[in-house]
């Protein structure tokens, strides 16, 4: 049985879900947040130590302002209303991505939430916002060069946002699209990938558990036979 240390998820399909229900794309984003809560709950129950959630990519700035502002507001509200719950559940929250581009208000609440949860050990949640894998890798290499060190796989890994985490065992993408959209390209070199047809707001506990169970019996070779 493979142990599960780290699950990464590309939470895709909110916008289509909203439209499918004759409502707005933003309605879908709100519904998607409920799925996030369900997945956190199961991850805790299954004692998965690391969960990385892709919430906003560096490319998502290309969306209409109205949608971007809604997503930022959703994040702000989530942190304001759920931070105590995260603390009670011993969850550590870390943002991966470039925080500089966010409005001051959001930066402040992100920093506050990270600080308040930094000592928690039960579940480490990485929320990827304004995250792009290629720029993460470039930044890592720049840091190595600046320190006048030799570029190696180990050094690139240890200068990424994810330096303190194991690589994802499982990568899930919902929303019926088979692509990686610039997510954790370096870290998923040996992850087991699950593409799910369901849109993120429809993805539920049993879908998640099915994936976790399938993963447990996969033969992982890492190049060996
Ligand atoms: C959610 O899904 C992911 C985010 C970028 C917040 P989408 O908003 O991409 O939904 P679809 O793929 O357009 O349906
Ligand atoms: C990937 O979804 C990013 C997130 C889930 C946050 P997108 O909907 O932005 O991906 P593309 O543009 O369809 O590849
Ligand atoms: Mg999408």
């Amino acid at each position: 049985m493979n142990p599960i240390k780290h699950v990464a998820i590309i939470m895709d399909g909110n916008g289509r879900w909203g439209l499918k229900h004759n409502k707005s794309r933003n309605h879908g984003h709100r519904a998607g947040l409920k799925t996030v809560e369900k997945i956190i709950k199961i991850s805790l129950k299954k004692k998965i130590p690391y969960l990385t959630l892709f919430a906003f990519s560096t490319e998502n700035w290309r969306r209409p302002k109205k949608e971007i502002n809604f997503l930022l507001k959703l994040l702000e509200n989530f942190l304001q209303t759920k931070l105590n719950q995260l603390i009670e559940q011993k969850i550590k929250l870390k943002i991966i991505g470039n925080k500089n581009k966010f409005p001051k208000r959001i930066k402040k609440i992100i920093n506050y939430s990270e600080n308040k949860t930094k000592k928690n050990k039960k579940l480490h949640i990485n929320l990827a916002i304004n995250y792009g894998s290629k720029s993460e890798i470039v930044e890592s290499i720049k840091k190595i060069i600046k320190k006048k060190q030799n570029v190696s796989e180990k050094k690139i890994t240890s200068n990424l946002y994810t330096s303190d985490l194991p690589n994802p065992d499982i990568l899930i993408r919902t929303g019926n699209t088979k692509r990686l959209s610039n997510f954790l390209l370096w870290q998923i070199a040996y992850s087991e990938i699950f593409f799910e047809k369901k849109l993120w707001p429809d993805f539920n506990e049993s879908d998640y558990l099915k994936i976790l169970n399938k993963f447990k019996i996969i033969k992982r070779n890492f190049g060996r036979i």
Side-chain angles (χ1 to χ4, degrees):
M1 289 270 240
N2 301 316
I4 306 172
K5 280 204 180 139
H6 186 177
V7 177
I9 309 181
I10 303 174
M11 312 184 288
D12 194 29
N14 290 347
R16 278 167 284 162
W17 189 91
L19 299 178
K20 200 174 121 189
H21 288 79
N22 295 319
K23 299 237 167 74
S24 62
R25 289 182 51 85
N26 286 346
H27 177 71
H29 290 310
R30 201 179 295 116
L33 196 53
K34 297 215 176 83
T35 306
V36 172
E37 293 185 45
K38 287 182 199 162
I39 296 310
I40 293 177
K41 213 165 140 195
I42 308 259
S43 303
L44 282 166
K45 208 162 133 194
K46 291 287 160 189
K47 299 194 167 63
I48 295 168
Y50 300 96
L51 178 67
T52 299
L53 302 172
F54 201 8
F56 194 89
S57 73
T58 45
E59 290 75 23
N60 287 145
W61 294 105
R62 295 172 183 157
R63 294 189 180 198
K65 240 197 162 114
K66 201 172 150 211
E67 183 165 338
I68 295 173
N69 287 341
F70 186 86
L71 285 167
L72 291 177
K73 193 80 205 149
L74 210 58
L75 171 70
E76 189 182 355
N77 283 348
F78 177 79
L79 293 178
Q80 267 165 355
T81 56
K82 304 285 176 185
L83 183 62
N84 281 339
Q85 229 168 298
L86 297 181
I87 295 169
E88 273 163 30
Q89 292 170 315
K90 305 220 165 25
I91 292 173
K92 171 175 172 170
L93 183 74
K94 196 180 128 182
I95 303 305
I96 61 169
N98 185 349
K99 291 183 204 162
N100 293 330
K101 215 176 160 180
F102 292 112
K104 249 195 197 141
R105 211 183 54 249
I106 306 271
K107 260 192 257 177
K108 212 169 144 190
I109 185 154
I110 285 175
N111 288 338
Y112 182 77
S113 309
E114 285 186 324
N115 232 332
K116 279 277 176 195
T117 60
K118 71 179 177 206
K119 293 209 176 98
N120 292 343
K121 292 234 154 50
K122 195 153 179 199
L123 170 65
H124 181 152
I125 298 180
N126 292 299
L127 197 57
I129 46 178
N130 193 21
Y131 174 85
S133 183
K134 287 189 178 178
S135 101
E136 179 190 30
I137 295 167
V138 170
E139 288 308 313
S140 164
I141 296 169
K142 278 189 188 163
K143 280 185 216 158
I144 300 167
I145 294 171
K146 207 170 165 194
K147 288 184 258 183
K148 296 195 165 61
Q149 293 170 332
N150 288 328
V151 177
S152 65
E153 285 189 17
K154 214 173 163 182
K155 278 278 177 249
I156 292 177
T157 303
S158 65
N159 283 284
L160 297 173
Y161 292 121
T162 51
S163 59
D164 51 343
L165 323 175
N167 288 325
D169 300 297
I170 297 175
L171 171 73
I172 302 170
R173 180 176 189 139
T174 59
N176 202 17
T177 305
K178 293 191 175 102
R179 57 176 172 252
L180 299 172
S181 304
N182 202 12
F183 188 50
L184 302 177
L185 302 177
W186 179 270
Q187 297 89 334
I188 59 163
Y190 268 107
S191 305
E192 305 298 333
I193 303 182
F194 295 84
F195 290 110
E196 284 293 307
K197 287 209 169 83
K198 281 192 182 178
L199 304 172
W200 178 247
D202 288 330
F203 189 72
N204 61 30
E205 285 94 342
S206 111
D207 299 318
Y208 188 39
L209 287 170
K210 264 187 217 153
I211 292 175
L212 299 181
N213 286 332
K214 265 193 213 160
F215 169 81
K216 282 185 195 154
I217 53 168
I218 290 174
K219 186 169 176 282
R220 304 187 82 193
N221 291 345
F222 300 100
R224 299 182 202 100
I225 54 168

